[in-house]
Amino acid sequence: MGTWDVGPFDNDTAADWCNTLDDAAPDARTGLVRDTLARAADTVGYLDADIADEAVAAAALVAAQCPGGEPADPTTARTNPSPTSPAYAPSPSRPSTAS
């Protein structure tokens, strides 16, 4: 089907990624989200559309966990796509800005 709307989960690649995330063990989900975002952020040159689609979906899930974040759309994303802890913890290349 390809893309059916403009939301972060409204394309086949993002929907497939959400299914993969939903099927992952709860303790592996944070790493999957982090790895997805890092793969897009670390790309040099051309960013493949599939990598971008997955990163947008991952970023939407992270944003949904922020105070005031818009909830993930339950009609396209699974109801438990990420653990209750923050999905994107700081790494050596992305230090925390918290004091």
Side-chain angles (χ1 to χ4, degrees):
M1 181 176 222
T3 301
W4 52 89
D5 208 345
V6 297
F9 309 106
D10 296 339
N11 61 76
D12 287 333
T13 303
D16 290 345
W17 182 85
C18 286
N19 286 331
T20 299
L21 185 65
D22 209 32
D23 291 342
D27 62 344
R29 293 176 183 163
T30 298
L32 182 60
V33 171
R34 184 181 300 122
D35 291 347
T36 299
L37 292 170
R39 186 172 56 245
D42 295 342
T43 298
V44 177
Y46 177 78
L47 178 61
D48 182 77
D50 287 347
I51 293 171
D53 287 343
E54 291 174 351
V56 168
L61 293 177
V62 173
Q65 294 179 11
C66 293
E70 189 172 322
D73 182 358
T75 62
T76 54
R78 300 292 182 159
T79 57
N80 61 347
S82 60
T84 57
S85 62
Y88 189 59
S91 70
S93 63
R94 293 169 190 82
S96 172
T97 57
S99 28

